[in-house]
Each structure stands twice: as C-alpha cells, then as structure tokens.
C-alpha cells in the first residue's frame, strides 16, 4: 500500500505540469485567430448603404437601401419632405459613409441599365450638380455602349471592357487613385488620378434600369 501511494504522488505532478502547457497552447491559438480576424478586417473595405435623403426624386432605393432604380416619372418633388441634402436637378444618390483614408473596394451589379455613372464625390458636392460635371467628383460613366472617365465634364475613353453584369471600384485614398475593375478576371481596367482635398463618398447616377451595390468587401488579392 505504501508503494502504491508513492507512485500516485509521482504521477500527479506530471498532470499539473501539463495543464499550463495546454492553457498556453489554447491562448496561442486564440491569439492567432484574433490576429487573423483583425487582418481580415483591415483588408475589408468601407461598408455603406445608399442615403435616401440625397436621392433625386426620380430614384427609388430597394434591397435595404443597397440598390437604386430609375423611374422616368419618379416622385413629385412636392411629395417629398423638404431636404437640402437631396439632388434637385440630376438623378444622383450618394452613399451614407464617408472615406477619409485607406484602400477600399466595392462592386456594382448592373441590371437593365444602359446609361449610368459610378465613382466618388466630395461630401459637400452641390446638389444642383451631377457627378462627373465638376472637379469635385471622379467618375466612370457608361453610355452608348461605351465606357469613359469623367472629370469636370471632360471625357476620356476607357478600353478593354464591355457591358458586364458586375464591375468593381478600387479607391486608394492616400495614393489618390480610383480604378475601374473587371471582376471577371480581377484586373484593373483603368485608373483615374484624383486630387482629393477632404472626405469623399461613393456616388451613383443613372437614367434607366437598376444598380445594386456590394460593399464591405476585402480588396481582392493582386489589386
């Protein structure tokens, strides 16, 4: 009996020594998982919805304010609550989240639209203006089956992309770049050099069909 008790006392310390090691291993794994989540969040771009109070009366939002559709008649301006944030002359809507730095990527699904503009604009862009018309917005426009850039109402052709169902935009704030991305091959088609002077916001305009936005995405590898 004495020998049995002695053997038991010799085994117990080994078990106690194993417990701190197991806890350390668990903490390391948890820490690695948290770092992985933090890294993924750092790669994730801005998440936004469309801001109804900025939408022109000819536009209607849908799918939780992530999509916008054009109506030829639209709502009577008198039916809308007075709002200085609403675009008055052009079919424009802005997102509800501003960007002040970083790299951000979002995609736009195009449904039955043959004339639209996508890009970014100053948050205080005149509500009597349209994106692409002045020098406070940077835009990729599609019209007459062709893409072109727009800045201060100046147009330049964009080659190498047709009328896809979905396109991407890559915003690199510090580098002052806005790029149109072909999502079918995850490749930059064209890059606009910008001159951001303050916060900007994703911006959209359309004159037929629908646009559906997809935000909060990670910047694809290789971009």
């Amino acid at each position: 009996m004495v020998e049995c008790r002695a053997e038991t006392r010799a085994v117990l310390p080994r078990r106690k020594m194993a417990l701190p090691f197991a806890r350390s291993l668990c903490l390391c794994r948890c820490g690695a998982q948290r770092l992985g989540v933090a890294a993924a969040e750092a790669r994730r771009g801005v998440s936004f919805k469309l801001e109804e109070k900025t939408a022109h009366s000819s536009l209607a939002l849908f799918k939780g304010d992530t999509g916008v559709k054009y109506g030829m008649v639209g709502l009577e301006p008198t039916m809308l609550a007075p709002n200085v944030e609403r675009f008055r002359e052009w079919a424009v809507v802005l997102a509800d989240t501003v960007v002040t730095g970083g790299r951000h990527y979002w995609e736009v699904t195009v449904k039955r639209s043959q004339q639209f503009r996508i890009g970014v604009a100053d948050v205080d862009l005149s509500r009597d203006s349209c994106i692409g018309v002045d020098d406070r917005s940077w835009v990729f426009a599609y019209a007459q089956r062709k893409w072109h850039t727009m800045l201060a109402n100046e147009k330049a052709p964009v080659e190498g992309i047709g009328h896809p169902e979905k396109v991407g935009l890559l915003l690199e704030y510090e580098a002052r770049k806005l790029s149109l991305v072909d999502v079918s091959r995850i490749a930059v088609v064209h890059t606009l050099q910008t001159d951001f002077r303050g916060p900007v916001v994703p911006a959209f305009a359309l004159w037929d069909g629908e646009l559906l936005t997809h935000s909060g995405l990670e910047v694809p590898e290789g971009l």
Side-chain angles (χ1 to χ4, degrees):
M1 293 296 290
V2 174
E3 291 179 358
C4 182
R5 289 171 185 168
E7 186 176 335
T8 302
R9 285 196 296 269
V11 173
L12 283 174
R14 294 194 189 99
R15 292 176 180 171
K16 289 180 179 179
M17 287 176 64
L19 289 175
F21 176 77
R23 291 195 187 100
S24 298
L25 184 61
C26 180
L27 288 172
C28 288
R29 287 174 177 169
C30 292
Q33 289 175 352
R34 292 193 186 101
L35 286 173
V37 171
E41 289 297 326
R43 293 193 302 270
R44 198 175 302 280
V46 62
S47 181
F48 62 82
K49 292 186 177 182
L50 303 179
E51 187 68 84
E52 192 280 332
K53 67 181 181 182
T54 69
H56 184 266
S57 60
S58 65
L59 302 178
L61 306 187
F62 68 97
K63 202 166 184 178
D65 293 347
T66 61
V68 57
K69 64 177 66 176
Y70 178 80
M72 187 173 293
V73 176
L75 296 173
E76 280 290 332
T78 55
M79 299 288 291
L80 299 170
N83 186 356
V84 296
E85 294 296 316
R86 192 176 303 282
F87 281 86
R88 294 176 283 273
E89 302 295 331
W90 299 85
V92 176
V93 61
L94 303 180
D96 63 358
T97 305
V98 300
V99 176
T100 58
R103 300 177 81 238
H104 305 275
Y105 176 78
W106 60 93
E107 295 178 345
V108 181
T109 297
V110 182
K111 296 184 177 181
R112 300 183 300 278
S113 183
Q114 298 296 321
Q115 188 175 2
F116 59 89
R117 300 176 188 177
I118 55 177
V120 297
D122 279 357
V123 293
D124 57 354
L125 179 71
S126 170
R127 295 325 193 234
D128 292 318
S129 184
C130 184
I131 57 174
V133 171
D134 59 20
D135 63 352
R136 304 320 315 145
S137 58
W138 301 265
V139 167
F140 290 101
Y142 185 85
Q144 299 178 342
R145 300 183 180 180
K146 295 180 180 180
W147 283 93
H148 52 269
T149 63
M150 288 193 71
L151 174 61
N153 222 23
E154 294 290 330
K155 299 180 181 181
V158 175
E159 305 292 343
I161 188 170
H163 186 286
E165 294 182 357
K166 183 183 290 184
V167 294
L169 286 180
L170 174 65
L171 171 61
E172 300 173 273
Y173 189 92
E174 283 79 11
R176 297 186 175 185
K177 293 179 180 179
L178 179 69
S179 300
L180 181 67
V181 177
D182 183 344
V183 300
S184 66
R185 51 193 178 97
I186 310 298
V188 169
V189 177
H190 190 93
T191 297
L192 263 174
Q193 195 67 48
T194 71
D195 60 338
F196 301 140
R197 302 172 195 170
V200 295
V201 63
F204 310 86
L206 73 160
W207 291 270
D208 63 354
E210 305 173 0
L211 300 178
L212 181 62
T213 65
H214 313 274
S215 64
L217 306 176
E218 290 186 16
V219 177
E221 291 186 11
L223 293 184

